[in-house]
């Protein structure tokens, strides 16, 4: 999908008449059902005018042009793409990343620079790195580029900058990036002209652009091989016992299904915290990719997915997506050989949002979109990890969908516990104590190897977790969502929102925070970055991760009433606006939240209870 396509002469005519921004604005609203921001409209007007001038000077008037082209199965959009034929007569496309930055400063993050965006200074990818990733993505998943049918090049045009070797964009530390994906300043239009002419001198570009726009998503063999090697090289991803059984069974079914044209297969894998669901999912992705199957890993968790992408690298990240991947219905039935859905309890009822166009509102449940997209769909799920009212994923939903669609259903249940000291008993005890489900584990015996401790003060909890972290293990503080979540201060420091008496600490950075002060990790990487020890994590950044030790601040949004023997939810003590509006589900969701937080530790868990009756109740459950 793109917001504009046409000939280069049409583009030049519209732009020089100051009509291109209005065209893009109208097309944007038609596509997304909301209006683009004023800064984005201004950037179209300014940057595209400069690009039109460059095309005129280069004499590129018989070419194909696409603006705001959305990458396949991604929310990312290319600023500008032009197509034609090169000197050898081969079809060629050039992607141009447009920047109207006026000032750029260094960043301490690799491959990044710092600039002012949306009223605040932010660390962002060096534009050559950004456009290079777009190019690699297209080579890996876009059929006309992965086949070599259309050649591909990429560059950057920073029309408001003057070239200066001392400017951070052009500094020697970025030389390798600039060699592969050149950046041209506003006073280097002649150099940009030569770069474009060398690749597009042959003109006749509109048919080439039509070929690009009608081409389909297709994972290249090189991408599959790369992803397989990356996953295999992660030594920590080791399968044991019933994990290996599930892996072998799923692998065998995908192999058999690929050879036969029969009804689709759904595979349900249930397992509690620490049973290795995500490890199996990653192994499946790696092995299926190695065998040349078209496979995608999908979740409903941004923090979880972005951390995996960080581990596997930007290229393999192309095979990791989200559960709303087919909300527009543009993926044909059975397109993937296999779809691996991790954290499937986070599946939503439907993928559409209030911004979805009417023709894309199929009303089809999200889980049916996922099943339709693959010959074999694998769902890794824990029913008791639903923490948001719109999350509907459950084992029963998978079963109901299989019956409704007439799909074959294969079920597995993971029993072996690889978290909480390998103790199923601790998770069973937490479930029983929180009233999540009845179990035989009423008391937690002090003889167990797993460490569980109740701290009498918040200072004791913080001191315990910091000491664990300093000893070489991983440890984090987490809390129920009982305090507001502020934006960073102008200097990038975080506001200490989590306050208990004189004690205070900040939440982890919010997902849309601007440039952060040195040492503060971005929201998605709080769980894995060493700097995360300085903030309190919330459920949305902790779910899906594990640490050696976890320290839990048990807030006042859930408390035990000793008189009635019941758990009481108090929405007035919650700062989670979405959850507190779900009146009927509030207690259940908050219980699940604390269950998730309390089971993040591999070796131990320490808790501070803000409510005294709740502390006494937990204390009474210790053997």
């Amino acid at each position: 999908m793109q917001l504009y396509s046409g000939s280069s002469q049409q583009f030049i005519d519209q732009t020089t008449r100051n009509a291109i921004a209005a065209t893009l604005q109208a097309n944007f609203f038609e596509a997304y059902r909301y209006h683009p921001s004023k800064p984005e409209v201004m950037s179209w007007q300014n940057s595209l005018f400069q690009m039109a001038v460059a095309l005129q000077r280069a004499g590129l008037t018989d070419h194909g042009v696409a603006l705001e082209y959305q990458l396949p199965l991604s929310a990312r959009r290319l600023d500008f793409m032009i197509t034609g034929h090169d000197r050898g007569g081969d079809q060629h496309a050039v992607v141009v990343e447009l920047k109207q930055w006026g000032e750029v400063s260094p960043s301490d993050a690799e491959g990044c620079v710092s600039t002012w965006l949306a009223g605040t200074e932010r660390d962002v990818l060096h534009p050559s790195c950004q456009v290079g990733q777009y190019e690699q993505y297209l080579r890996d998943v876009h059929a006309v580029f992965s086949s070599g049918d259309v050649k591909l090049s990429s560059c950057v045009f920073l029309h408001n900058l003057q070239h200066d070797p001392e400017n951070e964009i052009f500094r020697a530390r970025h030389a390798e990036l600039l060699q592969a994906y050149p950046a041209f300043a506003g006073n280097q239009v002649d150099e940009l002209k030569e770069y474009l002419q060398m690749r597009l001198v042959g003109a006749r570009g509109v048919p080439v652009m039509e070929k690009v726009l009608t081409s389909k998503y297709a994972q290249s063999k090189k991408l599959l091989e790369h992803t397989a090697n990356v996953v295999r090289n992660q030594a920590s991803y080791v399968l044991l016992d019933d994990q290996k059984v599930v892996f072998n069974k799923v692998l065998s079914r995908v192999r058999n299904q690929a050879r036969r044209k029969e009804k689709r297969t759904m595979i349900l894998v249930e397992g509690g915290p620490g049973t290795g669901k995500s490890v199996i999912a990653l192994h499946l992705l790696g092995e299926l990719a190695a065998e040349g199957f078209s496979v995608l890993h999908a979740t409903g968790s941004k923090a979880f997915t972005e951390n995996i992408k960080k581990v596997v690298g930007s290229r393999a990240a192309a095979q990791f997506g989200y559960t709303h991947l087919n909300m527009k219905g543009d993926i044909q039935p059975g397109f993937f050989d296999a779809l691996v859905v991790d954290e499937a309890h986070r599946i939503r009822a439907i993928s559409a949002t209030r911004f979805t166009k009417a023709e894309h509102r199929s009303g089809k449940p999200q889980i049916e979109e996922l099943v339709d997209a693959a010959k074999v769909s694998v769902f890794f799920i824990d029913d008791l990890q639903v923490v948001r009212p719109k999350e509907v994923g459950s084992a029963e939903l998978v079963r109901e969908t299989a019956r409704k669609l007439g799909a074959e259903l294969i079920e597995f249940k993971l029993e072996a516990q690889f978290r909480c000291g390998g103790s199923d008993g601790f998770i069973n005890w937490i479930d029983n104590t929180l009233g999540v489900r009845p179990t035989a584990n009423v008391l937690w015996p002090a003889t167990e190897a797993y460490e569980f401790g109740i701290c009498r003060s918040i200072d004791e909890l913080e001191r315990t977790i910091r000491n664990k972290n300093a000893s070489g293990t991983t440890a984090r503080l987490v809390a129920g969502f009982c305090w507001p979540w502020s934006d960073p201060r102008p200097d990038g420091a975080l506001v200490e929102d989590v306050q208990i008496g004189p004690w205070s600490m900040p939440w982890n950075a919010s997902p849309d925070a601007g440039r952060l002060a040195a040492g503060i990790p971005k929201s998605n990487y709080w769980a894995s970055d060493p700097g995360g020890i300085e903030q309190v994590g919330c459920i949305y950044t902790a779910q899906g991760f594990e640490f050696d030790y976890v320290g839990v601040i048990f807030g006042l949004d859930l408390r035990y009433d000793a008189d009635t023997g019941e758990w009481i939810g108090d929405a007035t003590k919650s700062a989670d606006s979405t959850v507190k509006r779900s009146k009927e589900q509030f207690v259940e969701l908050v219980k699940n939240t604390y269950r998730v937080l309390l089971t993040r530790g591999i070796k131990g868990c320490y808790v501070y209870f803000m409510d005294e009756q709740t502390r006494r109740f937990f204390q009474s459950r210790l053997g």
Side-chain angles (χ1 to χ4, degrees):
M1 191 273 289
Q2 68 286 341
L3 297 187
Y4 175 93
S5 64
S7 73
S8 53
Q9 187 60 60
Q10 290 170 330
F11 163 72
I12 292 169
D13 290 344
Q14 278 197 272
T15 305
T16 54
R17 288 188 290 106
N18 285 326
I20 196 68
T23 299
L24 289 172
Q25 191 172 8
N27 291 345
F28 185 99
F29 182 80
E30 179 64 22
Y32 300 105
R33 310 313 298 167
Y34 65 96
H35 293 287
S37 65
K38 288 184 178 179
E40 185 163 22
V41 176
M42 289 299 297
S43 72
W44 288 335
Q45 189 165 321
N46 297 334
S47 297
L48 294 176
F49 181 83
Q50 297 295 332
M51 198 64 213
V53 171
L55 294 191
Q56 278 185 315
R57 293 189 62 175
L60 303 178
T61 57
D62 185 20
H63 297 71
V65 167
L67 307 178
E68 298 296 327
Y69 172 69
Q70 186 170 330
L71 295 172
L73 292 191
S74 169
R76 299 294 183 184
R77 302 195 308 268
L78 306 179
D79 291 337
F80 185 94
M81 182 189 291
I82 181 169
T83 55
H85 291 76
D86 59 26
R87 296 181 188 278
D90 293 326
Q91 299 174 104
H92 209 122
V94 178
V95 174
V96 184
E97 179 66 21
L98 301 172
K99 299 293 185 188
Q100 56 175 357
W101 299 349
E103 295 182 7
V104 183
S105 56
S107 166
D108 57 3
E110 185 179 353
C112 292
V113 296
S114 179
T115 191
W116 281 87
L117 292 173
T120 185
E121 192 172 10
R122 297 175 182 268
D123 285 335
V124 295
L125 282 178
H126 188 290
S128 292
C129 181
Q130 180 184 356
V131 79
Q133 289 190 355
Y134 291 164
E135 179 178 320
Q136 186 64 65
Y137 187 89
L138 287 171
R139 291 183 185 278
D140 282 335
V141 305
H142 200 300
V144 296
F145 297 120
S146 60
S147 66
D149 193 20
V150 178
K151 293 183 177 179
L152 184 60
S153 302
S154 303
C155 67
V156 180
F157 186 27
L158 301 107
H159 53 84
N160 284 344
L161 279 183
Q162 296 294 296
H163 183 266
D164 179 356
E166 295 305 310
N167 185 289
E168 180 59 25
I169 290 292
F170 306 104
R171 293 292 291 269
R173 74 186 189 104
H174 302 302
E176 189 175 342
L177 272 176
L178 293 166
Q179 179 67 30
Y181 314 105
F184 302 99
N187 60 339
Q188 291 182 303
V189 175
D190 286 340
E191 288 86 342
L192 173 61
K193 177 185 74 172
E194 292 173 7
Y195 180 87
L196 295 174
Q197 286 175 333
M198 186 177 297
R199 290 156 179 79
L200 302 166
V201 70
R204 308 185 317 281
V206 172
V208 182
M209 181 58 73
E210 290 174 352
K211 181 180 291 188
V212 170
L213 298 181
T214 57
S215 181
K216 300 298 184 182
Y217 175 94
Q219 295 169 343
S220 70
K221 183 179 179 181
K222 289 183 178 180
L223 172 64
L224 296 174
E225 291 172 349
H226 173 78
T227 304
N229 290 333
V230 168
V231 174
R232 286 170 170 174
N233 288 336
Q234 291 296 322
S236 59
Y237 301 156
V238 178
L239 298 180
L240 299 172
D241 302 332
D242 55 350
Q243 295 177 336
K244 189 69 174 177
V245 173
V246 172
F247 170 79
N248 288 340
K249 285 278 193 177
V250 174
L251 195 60
S252 175
R253 173 48 59 123
V254 175
R255 288 168 177 161
N256 293 335
Q257 195 86 350
R259 301 188 192 102
R260 300 178 305 201
K261 291 184 178 180
E262 54 185 39
K263 64 182 180 181
R264 288 185 197 117
T265 299
M266 296 173 63
I267 298 176
L268 170 63
V269 183
E270 291 185 83
T275 50
K277 300 183 295 296
S278 296
V279 176
I280 302 171
L282 286 171
H283 266 278
L284 282 172
L285 177 73
E287 188 57 36
L288 291 170
E291 296 186 17
F293 291 107
S294 174
V295 56
L296 191 76
H297 180 287
T299 79
S301 168
K302 185 174 183 181
F304 184 73
T305 301
E306 293 304 312
N307 264 274
I308 293 177
K309 287 182 176 183
K310 185 178 181 181
V311 171
V312 301
S314 59
R315 187 176 182 189
Q319 286 189 259
F320 293 85
Y322 296 96
T323 51
H324 59 268
L325 62 96
N326 200 23
M327 63 186 297
K328 294 182 180 179
D330 47 3
I331 298 177
Q332 296 301 310
F335 178 84
F336 294 103
D337 293 313
L339 188 62
V340 180
V341 185
D342 201 359
E343 299 275 300
H345 36 269
R346 304 204 66 177
I347 287 174
R348 303 299 182 93
I350 59 173
S351 297
T353 69
R354 62 193 178 96
F355 300 124
T356 305
K357 292 173 66 174
E359 58 264 38
H360 294 150
R361 292 179 178 273
S362 66
K364 181 182 290 188
Q366 188 176 87
I367 190 170
E368 291 185 27
E369 294 174 354
L370 295 169
V371 174
D372 284 347
K375 298 169 187 172
V376 178
S377 47
V378 190
F379 298 90
F380 292 90
I381 205 162
D382 178 1
D383 284 356
L384 301 179
Q385 286 201 48
V386 174
V387 296
R388 299 274 282 184
K390 292 184 179 180
E391 295 172 355
V392 299
S394 68
E396 188 54 37
L397 177 67
V398 175
R399 296 184 185 107
E400 289 175 2
T401 303
R403 288 192 291 268
K404 178 179 177 181
L405 301 181
E408 180 183 3
L409 178 65
I410 302 172
E411 296 190 42
F412 299 100
K413 193 172 184 66
L414 296 168
E415 301 290 353
Q417 175 57 249
F418 297 93
R419 196 185 293 161
C420 302
S423 173
D424 289 319
F426 180 75
I427 293 177
N428 291 339
W429 175 68
I430 289 293
D431 289 350
N432 189 296
T433 304
L434 287 174
V436 172
R437 64 184 177 95
T439 72
N441 303 76
V442 178
L443 297 178
W444 177 245
T447 56
E448 288 283 351
Y450 186 72
E451 298 178 35
F452 178 78
I454 296 176
C455 298
R456 296 303 297 263
S457 70
I458 185 62
D459 297 284
E460 180 188 347
L461 178 66
E462 180 189 3
R463 186 167 57 250
T464 300
I465 293 305
R466 284 191 180 277
N467 288 341
K468 295 292 187 183
N469 194 69
S471 67
T473 59
T474 57
R476 290 290 186 275
L477 277 173
V478 297
F481 206 153
C482 300
W483 295 268
W485 200 352
S486 302
D487 292 330
R489 295 188 174 96
D491 64 354
L494 300 178
V495 178
E496 295 188 336
D497 286 317
V498 184
Q499 298 184 355
I500 301 173
W503 181 92
S504 62
M505 275 186 78
W507 284 116
N508 57 262
S510 60
D512 55 353
R515 190 182 191 193
L516 300 168
I520 300 176
K522 293 184 178 180
S523 171
N524 292 333
Y525 307 126
W526 167 85
S528 57
D529 190 290
I533 189 64
E534 301 298 334
Q535 302 94 39
V536 178
C538 73
I539 180 62
Y540 304 117
T541 46
Q543 188 173 27
F545 299 99
E546 58 187 24
F547 320 103
D548 291 324
Y549 293 92
V550 64
V552 181
I553 302 172
F554 203 114
L556 298 175
D557 53 346
L558 182 70
R559 60 182 177 81
Y560 183 77
D561 189 318
D563 294 330
T564 63
E566 295 180 350
W567 283 97
I568 307 297
D570 188 346
T572 66
K573 303 297 183 182
S574 173
D576 191 331
S577 57
T578 302
V579 172
K580 67 194 299 183
R581 286 197 299 266
S582 59
K583 298 179 181 179
E584 297 80 6
Q585 284 185 279
F586 182 80
V587 173
E588 175 191 350
L589 294 175
V590 178
K591 280 185 178 182
N592 286 351
T593 294
Y594 283 111
R595 176 185 186 265
V596 170
L597 297 179
L598 289 163
T599 56
R600 295 305 91 192
I602 298 172
K603 299 178 181 179
C605 171
Y606 292 84
V607 192
Y608 169 70
F609 294 94
M610 293 183 66
D611 177 70
E612 180 62 18
Q613 280 196 48
T614 307
R615 184 195 67 78
R616 289 178 180 175
F617 175 61
F618 260 79
Q619 192 78 47
S620 72
R621 290 295 191 99
L622 297 179

